[in-house]
Amino acid sequence: MKKIGFITIISLLLGKEPKPLDRFVVDYLLLTQSRMIESPTVWQDVKEGYLRNEAIYFSEIILDSLANGLTSYYVVKTHIPKINQLREQVREGKDFNYNIEKPSLTRVNVNYFSSVKD
């Protein structure tokens, strides 16, 4: 019984108010930006760099929208899953699938100086 009383007193003395949802969303977006910027591949032309830049840009747009009056509940409901998806794609570390097709050679003579429209 003494342990329960002791835990209750400690929790009342050390307990804090939970962060409001607005503060949580802003902290989450800033943390996402800092985690995405810290890699040296951010500005490289690879899939990871592209996804990191996309996550940074998307979180910056959401922060601006929050400053302009977008509700944090709407952000959590619609935009946070997109950011989580981008973060997971960055963690996967897969490369682009380059499908470069060589154009077929034309076998006809092309008259570049003709004035006739085809």
Side-chain angles (χ1 to χ4, degrees):
M1 193 67 178
K2 290 181 184 181
K3 290 181 182 179
I4 294 174
F6 182 70
I7 291 173
T8 304
I9 291 172
I10 294 295
S11 64
L12 289 174
L13 292 175
L14 298 178
K16 298 177 184 175
E17 286 291 321
K19 288 185 180 179
L21 188 59
D22 295 337
R23 189 70 201 153
F24 172 77
V25 170
V26 170
D27 289 347
Y28 181 80
L29 292 173
L30 291 175
L31 180 66
T32 299
Q33 280 186 343
S34 68
R35 297 291 171 141
M36 292 293 126
I37 289 174
E38 73 183 7
S39 175
T41 61
V42 171
W43 306 112
Q44 295 179 5
D45 193 19
V46 293
K47 184 175 184 178
E48 181 182 347
Y50 172 76
L51 292 172
R52 284 181 182 270
N53 276 327
E54 188 176 349
I56 292 167
Y57 179 71
F58 191 62
S59 62
E60 191 68 38
I61 288 174
I62 294 171
L63 284 171
D64 289 344
S65 299
L66 282 171
N68 290 334
L70 188 67
T71 63
S72 57
Y73 176 73
Y74 182 76
V75 169
V76 169
K77 187 177 173 185
T78 57
H79 299 305
I80 296 293
K82 167 82 170 155
I83 289 180
N84 286 336
Q85 180 185 11
L86 287 171
R87 290 177 72 180
E88 288 177 15
Q89 288 176 354
V90 166
R91 265 190 235 125
E92 288 175 2
K94 294 181 180 177
D95 293 331
F96 278 121
N97 293 329
Y98 292 110
N99 294 327
I100 300 174
E101 297 178 9
K102 293 183 179 180
S104 63
L105 297 174
T106 57
R107 302 275 184 214
V108 286
N109 290 335
V110 179
N111 186 358
Y112 294 103
F113 302 105
S114 174
S115 61
V116 178
K117 293 183 180 181
D118 293 331

